[in-house]
Amino acid sequence: MKVENQAMPDGASLFSLLFSKKARAVQTFNDFVETEEYEKGFSKHYKENLLPLITGYEEKRVAAFNQARRSLFFFLPVFILIPFLTYGVWVFWDFHEDVIEFTSWIALSVYAASYLYIKKSIRLYRSSIKTEIFPKIVGFIEGFSYEPEYNYDVRKYEKYDILPSYDLEVCEDHIRGTYKGLEIELVEASLQKRKVFRRSKLDTKEVFSGLLIKLNVAKNFKGKTIITADGGFVKNFFNEMGQELEYIKLEDPEFENVFEVYSDDQVDARYLLTTSFMERLIDIRKVFNSDTMKCSFFDRSLFMAVPLEKNMFEPGPINKPEDFIDDAKSLLKEIQAIFEISDTLKLDMDIGT
């Protein structure tokens, strides 16, 4: 997922470029081994639809890596000389405050421009993967499609009352489809808040980074039920808005240990939070490795905000061969966990009421 203030995390790979040998393409790749029932048929799909592309992308990976490596060595003298040149200007102008500020901005701009140029080939390689490889992986899931770039409006999800306050949103990696009659939508999002007394787009902090999931449910809930790992935020928010949420005590000790439930309709909440649903929610928390996920039942749907430590749709390190088997296994496992939530909702509810 692209986020402006996350432009540098793979900057650590500059060290890989500097100290690694010239890359060479591998000639053979492993087969996809099906180990789960929901993976059935993907081995054939992988061999027919992904492997031919992956072979070509291995050449692209090597070309992108070697081009970035050459660019780095070209700019390396610049990186080394800039601090000395900048300090020399400061000395010549007797450390004048305006000169220090001006030359510092110039030095930072040169570093940034050089960095972007060095990583250009890698960015193009990674971008092409998102338009060619990942759609093929998602294409295995019947009825679902993937869009790498998506103009999304997260504001429409504010009514679920589990998103933090934010000023800017950056979204991509959109999956949408229908599973057993239920519409499911996923999108990766970064929500950013402007720092106090700052108006610049650059002066922001990230308040959420992860997956937003919406499942339509053919049941009109009477109220709003929120499941969260941090009841304080939700409870305080509703009190400020003049809406009183009641803490719901449940009998499942494992669920109570990781989640708290608040609702404005206790009967409705207990109807929704069946034993099987609570089990599935614990499972999905483990699958995504997200201890702070939140859920909201409202307006005939279940909405989930799942913070993630890493992006779902990003290729591995540029200096290593990539067969996308781990990516495919992770994605299929995550989608399966969402399908199981959908199955539980359909089984536990009176559909159509």
Side-chain angles (χ1 to χ4, degrees):
M1 177 172 50
K2 297 180 298 185
V3 181
E4 291 161 8
N5 61 356
Q6 286 185 338
M8 292 298 292
D10 69 340
S13 64
L14 290 181
F15 291 99
S16 300
L17 291 173
L18 185 60
F19 296 107
S20 296
K21 297 180 180 179
K22 184 178 179 180
R24 289 181 172 80
V26 300
Q27 302 301 317
T28 58
F29 291 90
N30 295 324
D31 293 329
F32 185 96
V33 179
E34 298 172 7
T35 56
E36 303 291 343
E37 180 64 27
Y38 56 79
E39 295 176 350
K40 188 175 181 180
F42 193 84
S43 179
K44 181 181 179 182
H45 178 83
Y46 179 83
K47 185 175 295 185
E48 294 178 352
N49 298 285
L50 284 160
L51 199 53
L53 291 175
I54 290 169
T55 303
Y57 268 96
E58 174 62 6
E59 298 291 340
K60 292 183 180 181
R61 179 192 70 83
V62 170
F65 177 84
N66 290 335
Q67 175 59 49
R69 190 168 177 270
R70 287 193 297 269
S71 299
L72 175 59
F73 280 102
F74 177 81
F75 280 101
L76 197 57
V78 177
F79 293 159
I80 296 172
L81 286 174
I82 281 179
F84 295 100
L85 293 174
T86 303
Y87 185 76
V89 172
W90 293 353
V91 171
F92 181 81
W93 288 95
D94 199 23
F95 293 94
H96 191 280
E97 183 177 341
D98 291 340
V99 173
I100 291 177
E101 182 177 358
F102 179 70
T103 53
S104 295
W105 275 111
I106 291 178
L108 288 173
S109 299
V110 172
Y111 274 126
S114 301
Y115 173 83
L116 291 175
Y117 184 84
I118 292 169
K119 299 303 290 290
K120 181 180 178 181
S121 62
I122 296 177
R123 290 198 305 274
L124 291 175
Y125 160 75
R126 294 165 72 90
S127 176
S128 64
I129 284 175
K130 298 187 75 168
T131 59
E132 296 290 338
I133 299 293
F134 289 129
K136 296 291 185 182
I137 297 176
V138 177
F140 173 74
I141 308 171
E142 185 178 355
F144 281 75
S145 61
Y146 166 79
E147 298 173 89
E149 303 293 337
Y150 191 69
N151 187 18
Y152 211 66
D153 180 17
V154 178
R155 295 288 177 189
K156 65 183 179 182
Y157 289 144
E158 290 183 352
K159 63 183 179 180
Y160 295 97
D161 294 320
I162 59 174
L163 294 177
S165 175
Y166 67 95
D167 299 307
L168 302 170
E169 61 185 59
V170 181
C171 298
E172 62 175 356
D173 300 325
H174 178 248
I175 298 178
R176 186 172 187 173
T178 301
Y179 173 73
K180 295 183 179 179
L182 296 182
E183 292 183 9
I184 300 175
E185 188 173 26
L186 304 84
V187 67
E188 281 196 289
S190 168
L191 306 181
Q192 304 166 28
K193 182 79 173 176
R194 287 193 181 93
K195 294 180 181 178
V196 180
F197 305 124
R198 301 280 185 169
R199 293 186 177 182
S200 170
K201 194 175 182 179
L202 297 176
D203 292 317
T204 62
K205 65 176 180 178
E206 193 172 63
V207 293
F208 175 85
S209 177
L211 197 63
L212 304 179
I213 307 170
K214 180 174 177 288
L215 293 79
N216 290 340
V217 182
K219 167 70 180 179
N220 193 14
F221 316 126
K222 296 177 182 178
K224 180 176 294 181
T225 297
I226 290 178
I227 306 165
T228 176
D230 181 25
F233 165 77
V234 177
K235 190 172 183 180
N236 291 338
F237 176 84
F238 271 80
N239 287 338
E240 291 174 5
M241 297 297 293
Q243 305 177 53
E244 189 66 36
L245 280 180
E246 180 183 359
Y247 172 70
I248 308 298
K249 177 69 174 177
L250 300 171
E251 302 302 324
D252 189 319
E254 184 179 3
F255 190 85
E256 281 281 323
N257 191 46
V258 294
F259 289 114
E260 292 182 356
V261 180
Y262 297 86
S263 180
D264 53 10
D265 190 312
Q266 183 168 163
V267 175
D268 213 29
R270 295 187 182 280
Y271 168 76
L272 294 168
L273 299 176
T274 63
T275 301
S276 55
F277 175 79
M278 288 189 287
E279 290 174 352
R280 297 288 79 76
L281 201 60
I282 291 173
D283 289 342
I284 205 170
R285 176 179 178 269
K286 293 176 181 177
V287 167
F288 285 100
N289 191 27
S290 181
D291 294 338
T292 56
M293 65 175 289
K294 294 181 175 69
C295 309
S296 177
F297 280 102
F298 181 66
D299 193 23
R300 302 178 69 90
S301 58
L302 169 64
F303 176 64
M304 295 184 281
V306 186
L308 300 175
E309 292 185 1
K310 65 176 185 176
N311 302 328
M312 287 180 63
F313 296 94
E314 294 296 339
I318 188 69
N319 59 333
K320 296 181 180 179
E322 179 65 85
D323 58 14
F324 301 98
I325 289 177
D326 289 342
D327 299 272
K329 282 188 170 290
S330 294
L331 177 64
L332 293 176
K333 183 178 182 180
E334 290 158 354
I335 296 296
Q336 178 64 23
I338 296 171
F339 285 172
E340 290 175 358
I341 285 280
S342 301
D343 287 335
T344 299
L345 290 174
K346 289 195 68 173
L347 287 172
D348 288 350
M349 293 183 181
D350 254 335
I351 298 301
T353 61

